[in-house]
Each structure stands twice: as C-alpha cells, then as structure tokens.
Amino acid sequence: MAEPTVLIATQCAVRTLTLNRPASLNSFTLAMHGELMAALEAAAADASIRALVITGAGRGFCAGQDLADPAMAPVDGQAPDVGAVVERHYKPLALRVRSMPVPVIASVNGVAAGAGANFALCCDMVLAARSASFIQAFSKIGLIPDCGGTWLLPRLVGRAQALGLAMTGDKLPAERAEQLGLIWQCVDDAALADTTMALATKLAQMPSRALAATRRQIDESMPMSLGDALSAEATTQGVLGRGGDFIEGVAAFLAKRPAVFKDR
Ligand code: T3D
C-alpha cells in the first residue's frame, strides 16, 4: 500500500497534519492535495477538534508544487494547464484553510518554498524553526506567486517587501521573516514542537467560534471603510453575543474560574 502523503495525529483537542513526502521536501502532488483536503474536511467536521497544526516530515515543510509530478509533464508537446491546477487544487486549499472553524497553526520545520510558503502563510499563526526559510520560488520558473501569495504578501509585509520577495525569489531566513512581520514567531529548532503544542493547546481552550470569526472579520476588513468595518463588527458581535461561549466567558470571569468553551 502507498505511504500516506498526510499523517494525521490527535492529542487532546489538537489535530496535527504532517505533510509526508520528505524525499521531495513534501512537495504537492495531486494525491497529496486530495489527502490534505480530506484531512482538513475531517478536522472541520469533528467537533472534538479545537485547533489544527500543519507541519512537514523530515527536513522541509513543503517545497510547493512537485515539479516532477507526471501531472505537470507536457502531453504530446502540449504544456500542462498550470492555471487549471491552481484553480482546482491550490485555490480550494487556501480557502479551506482560511475558513476552518478552528485556529490553524503552521509549524514550519524547514524550507517552505513556492506554494508551500504561501500555504503556510494562509494559516492563522506561523511558527518557524530558526533554520527554516521562506522562498517565493515562482519567479525562478517563470510564474507568479500563487496559493494566495499575491494577496497575502502585501498584506503581511507591505508592497515593497512583497515585490522584493516575489521578484528575487531569494531565501528569507525565519528570523528575518519574523522581523518583517511575515510570521508570528521564530523559535530554536529544538523548541519548535513544544512551542507549537503549547500554542495549539492554548488556542484549543479558547472560544473557537470567536477565533474563526476574528479571522474572517480581519480578512474581510481589508477593502472596507472604517464605518463598514465597524458595522461588520457589530453584526458579528451580535451573533457571538447570543452564543454559549459569551455567556460562559462572562460567567467564568465573574466566578473567577477558568472558562470552558464549547461553541464552534
Ligand atoms: O501546477 C503548477 O505547477 C502551478 C503551481 C505552482 C505552485 C508552486 O509551488 S511553483 C514553485 C515550485 N517549487 C519550487 O520551484 C521549489 C523547487 N525546490 C527548490 O528550489 C529547492 O529544492 C529548495 C530551495 C526548496 C530546497 O533546496 P535544498 O538544496 O535544501 O534541497 P534540494 O536538494 O534542492 O531538494 C531535496 C530533494 O527534494 C531533491 O531531490 P533528490 O535530488 O534528493 O532526489 C529535489 O529534487 C527534491 N525537490 C525539492 N523541491 C521539489 C523537489 N522535487 C519536486 N518538486 C519540487 N518542488
């Protein structure tokens, strides 16, 4: 039987998905796209899961599209339909991660290149090992950043750094990525697993529904006026205010006890 391209593990309420094609730095094949999407759907549907971690097996996080995947090879001299691959696989993947009902942490254990870098940046919080790096490798093969790169990069680091990273395709060390605000935190390699699990456990104990709504609100606020963003906040706050987590959060505060959140 073929080795799974995504390993799935659960510890308490934290689901960890490990991209598992280490010989090619966990680059994406169509098979891995399928298994990853199925794993994301399963985590979204499982009410016992309250935080998701995505990491890579071996020395890399993900090297983007597997450039040796037969699906990428020309057929009868015709170039592969790269646009169709992006539309059918990378777009749903990015949107699925961005709409998960629970917080998603990318635990970047090594190089994250091409769509692998932008897949990590789609996640809510990115922790990276000090030896890890981020590479917008697309320009080196005549493409533009995909998997959300053209949207994410300027929003995370501004136009000047976004264009510099995308045009040069230079390797950005994790420490510099943290300084630029591209990622949440860079930690010593030996501390990555524990730091990731501590963060995931903390987020798993928080009100998932409010965290997912926070992500949505921030994403949707980008093109809005302040007035529209304030109205959207009021609408979302109205929904959350009628939920069990708000009642529980306030009751726990007043009773000086830890809250137990359940909404998703
Ligand atoms: O359909 C579409 O194509 C559209 C979608 C596009 C999305 C994209 O992601 S486009 C960008 C694709 N990715 C890249 O261009 C990155 C290619 N990889 C690299 O530039 C380098 O491997 C790294 C900088 C990421 C790491 O370098 P290094 O020196 O640490 O490792 P290495 O020796 O290059 O790679 C180790 C092995 O992984 C090697 O195999 P081998 O020689 O040991 O058998 C290498 O060929 C393989 N590998 C790395 N990246 C890929 C890959 N194999 C297939 N596809 C890859 N992307």
Side-chain angles (χ1 to χ4, degrees):
M1 216 168 80
E3 183 87 355
T5 61
V6 178
L7 304 176
I8 302 173
T10 307
Q11 187 182 327
C12 302
V14 177
R15 171 75 43 94
T16 299
L17 307 182
T18 303
L19 307 178
N20 187 39
R21 302 188 64 245
S24 63
L25 303 179
N26 306 314
S27 55
F28 282 106
T29 55
L30 296 187
M32 193 167 92
H33 270 293
E35 288 180 40
L36 183 55
M37 189 55 102
L40 290 170
E41 293 295 354
D46 185 340
S48 71
I49 301 302
R50 298 183 59 83
L52 185 69
V53 171
I54 299 173
T55 192
R59 73 175 176 91
F61 175 75
C62 175
Q65 175 63 39
D66 186 327
L67 300 173
D69 189 352
M72 288 296 104
V75 178
D76 298 332
Q78 295 285 309
D81 190 345
V82 174
V85 174
V86 172
E87 183 69 29
R88 282 191 209 126
H89 300 285
Y90 289 102
K91 180 179 170 184
L93 176 64
L95 292 177
R96 178 68 276 193
V97 166
R98 220 59 184 190
S99 62
M100 287 297 285
V102 296
V104 185
I105 300 169
S107 182
V108 179
N109 52 303
V111 66
N118 295 335
F119 173 54
L121 298 180
C122 280
C123 297
D124 298 319
M125 297 182 73
V126 183
L127 293 174
R130 208 166 295 285
S131 67
S133 56
F134 297 82
I135 309 176
Q136 295 294 323
F138 308 89
S139 58
K140 294 187 176 156
I141 55 169
L143 297 178
I144 61 164
D146 62 21
C147 200
T150 60
W151 190 91
L152 293 160
L153 290 171
R155 283 167 172 78
L156 290 167
V157 295
R159 183 176 188 273
Q161 294 294 335
L163 279 173
L165 293 171
M167 286 187 168
T168 63
D170 282 351
K171 181 187 276 200
L172 184 73
E175 219 161 274
R176 182 82 185 116
E178 183 193 45
Q179 287 162 3
L180 286 178
L182 188 74
I183 65 170
W184 173 246
Q185 196 185 1
C186 163
V187 299
D188 289 340
D189 288 25
L192 182 66
D194 286 352
T195 309
T196 300
M197 198 42 72
L199 177 62
T201 304
K202 175 186 166 119
L203 293 176
Q205 287 163 0
M206 295 181 70
S208 307
R209 202 167 160 213
L211 300 190
T214 301
R215 173 212 299 133
R216 192 180 62 246
Q217 202 72 42
I218 286 179
D219 285 353
E220 291 178 356
S221 76
M222 299 294 177
M224 284 183 187
S225 66
L226 175 60
D228 287 348
L230 286 163
S231 298
E233 285 174 3
T235 303
T236 303
Q237 215 68 305
V239 173
L240 293 172
R242 289 189 289 277
D245 279 354
F246 176 59
I247 293 167
E248 166 62 8
V250 174
F253 173 77
L254 295 176
K256 300 188 188 303
R257 62 166 173 81
V260 181
F261 295 113
K262 296 193 175 127
D263 289 351
R264 273 192 72 188

